[in-house]
């Protein structure tokens, strides 16, 4: 059998330490709940404008903490996050966040839920402007017929689409996704992945996303950050961190149905699965 080509993992790591003008710069981030045992330490990477980066790793490695720090919802013990030249300190409408639970206000309709975010972003807009803007983003996720329904009348997948439309509607500089499809069935998940990919291409959105799903990362991401858990070693405790950065070598126009037919797909998938099984956690 053909030997799979080695994965290009060196370049982005060199780039992360050499590049200082990335759109998003994370520098030597660490988080410790117990001072001597940080969950992760010395996490540094950059994101370029318009880039889609996924982070993958086992529970407990600190992925969500990193995303919450980027969102301004949590603080790191040390290190800095700079987005578009400004340090991230507290939440901001420059960053749209989509969590695994849709976080919609149950007493508001789809239209009102999204309008709430739009009005926060552009408080001077007239009602007609807000309505037109909301309708555009509801149409983008295929929910126009449900625009005046409340969350209780929607399926799980529809609620998650509303969450995605709301995050896009404020036209953030960056989108942060914390396993947004984790609670959905496979069919719905696949459809929304395709929709998300289409919207991201259309809007040139910069995205940082957490996932446990290897194929999801391969489908969506330009680069995949592989994160290891903190563990005890014979030399003492070693905090978690970014163990490797994998550049996705597959063509950017990939689709869910064509993914496993692409040259390099299996080598890439096996590499990530091997990392998760053998290298991400201490044995």
């Amino acid at each position: 059998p053909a030997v799979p080509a080695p994965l290009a993992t060196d370049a982005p790591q060199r780039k992360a330490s050499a590049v200082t003008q990335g759109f998003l710069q994370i520098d030597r981030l660490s988080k410790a709940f117990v001072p001597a045992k940080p969950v992760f330490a010395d996490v540094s990477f950059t994101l370029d404008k318009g880039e889609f980066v996924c982070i993958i790793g086992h529970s407990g490695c600190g992925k969500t903490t990193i995303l919450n720090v980027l969102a301004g919802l949590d603080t790191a013990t040390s290190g800095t996050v700079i987005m578009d030249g400004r340090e991230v300190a507290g939440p901001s409408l420059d960053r749209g966040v989509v969590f695994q639970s849709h976080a919609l206000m149950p007493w508001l309709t789809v239209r009102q839920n999204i309008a709430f975010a739009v009005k926060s972003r552009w408080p001077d807009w007239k009602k007609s402007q807000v309505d037109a803007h909301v309708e555009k983003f509801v149409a983008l996720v295929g929910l126009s017929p449900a625009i005046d329904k409340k969350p209780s009348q929607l399926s799980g997948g529809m609620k998650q689409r509303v969450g995605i439309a709301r995050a896009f509607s404020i036209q953030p500089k960056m989108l942060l996704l914390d396993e947004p499809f984790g609670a959905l069935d496979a069919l719905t998940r696949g459809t929304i992945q395709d929709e998300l990919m289409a919207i991201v291409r259309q809007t040139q959105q910069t995205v940082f996303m957490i996932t446990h799903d290897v194929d999801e990362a391969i489908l969506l991401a330009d680069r995949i950050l592989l994160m290891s858990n903190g563990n005890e070693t014979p030399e003492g405790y070693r905090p978690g961190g970014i163990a490797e950065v994998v550049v996705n070598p597959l063509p950017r126009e990939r689709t869910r149905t064509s993914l496993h037919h692409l040259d390099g797909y299996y080598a890439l998938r096996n590499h990530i699965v091997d990392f998760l099984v053998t290298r991400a956690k201490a044995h």
Side-chain angles (χ1 to χ4, degrees):
V3 178
L7 293 158
T9 53
D10 299 340
Q13 283 171 316
R14 279 204 303 273
K15 178 179 163 189
S17 53
V19 166
T20 50
Q21 71 273 24
F23 171 70
L24 178 78
Q25 301 157 47
I26 288 88
D27 189 37
R28 302 183 69 112
L29 217 57
S30 77
K31 181 71 173 183
F33 298 102
V34 179
K37 293 188 174 181
V39 181
F40 58 83
D42 212 15
V43 166
S44 299
F45 59 92
T46 61
L47 253 79
D48 291 332
K49 207 163 173 45
E51 192 177 21
F52 198 128
V53 169
C54 274
I55 188 164
I56 204 163
H58 293 293
S59 297
C61 68
K63 306 181 298 296
T64 295
T65 303
I66 290 175
L67 182 132
N68 285 340
V69 170
L70 301 189
L73 300 171
D74 197 354
T75 51
T77 305
S78 62
T80 54
V81 176
I82 292 174
M83 187 182 86
D84 206 13
R86 296 175 64 178
E87 187 161 356
V88 169
S92 154
L93 291 167
D94 283 343
R95 296 179 299 282
V97 189
V98 182
F99 297 106
Q100 188 168 342
S101 61
H102 51 79
L104 301 177
M105 290 173 268
W107 61 92
L108 299 181
T109 62
V110 170
R111 183 194 299 274
Q112 291 164 336
N113 261 287
I114 299 173
F116 184 84
V118 172
K119 286 187 274 200
S120 307
R121 184 84 168 86
W122 295 285
D124 301 334
W125 277 16
K126 296 186 181 74
K127 186 181 182 302
S128 57
Q129 279 176 291
V130 172
D131 265 350
H133 192 77
V134 168
E135 283 163 16
K136 173 182 153 190
F137 283 90
V138 170
L140 211 55
V141 294
L143 279 182
S144 300
I147 192 164
D148 292 310
K149 289 186 172 176
K150 289 189 174 168
S152 59
Q153 299 170 278
L154 307 178
S155 69
M158 291 164 92
K159 287 178 197 167
Q160 206 50 311
R161 280 186 189 155
V162 180
I164 290 167
R166 181 174 58 184
F168 275 104
S169 73
I170 58 169
Q171 297 180 327
K173 291 180 178 176
M174 187 161 124
L175 202 57
L176 300 164
L177 308 175
D178 188 357
E179 286 203 72
F181 315 131
L184 304 178
D185 64 87
L187 208 61
T188 309
R189 182 179 191 134
T191 311
I192 301 185
Q193 284 168 352
D194 285 347
E195 286 173 1
L196 176 68
M197 199 142 134
I199 301 169
V200 167
R201 299 274 183 272
Q202 200 178 323
T203 55
Q204 300 288 293
Q205 186 71 57
T206 309
V207 186
F208 179 79
M209 175 172 171
I210 295 174
T211 180
H212 274 103
D213 184 320
V214 175
D215 278 332
E216 184 165 87
I218 293 172
L219 175 67
L220 297 170
D222 301 310
R223 283 188 298 146
I224 301 162
L225 312 181
L226 306 182
M227 193 163 178
S228 60
N229 286 54
N231 59 67
E232 297 288 353
T233 71
E235 295 77 46
Y237 178 77
R238 197 175 67 203
I242 307 289
E244 191 181 331
V245 182
V246 178
V247 176
N248 192 337
L250 304 179
R252 214 172 178 206
E253 292 65 47
R254 53 194 178 266
T255 61
R256 215 163 22 101
T257 46
S258 68
L259 202 58
H260 59 285
H261 297 298
L262 295 172
D263 278 350
Y265 161 74
Y266 284 105
L268 178 61
R269 190 177 200 286
N270 292 344
H271 183 82
I272 297 169
V273 169
D274 180 63
F275 166 81
L276 290 170
V277 172
T278 62
R279 291 167 48 212
K281 285 183 107 159
H283 288 283

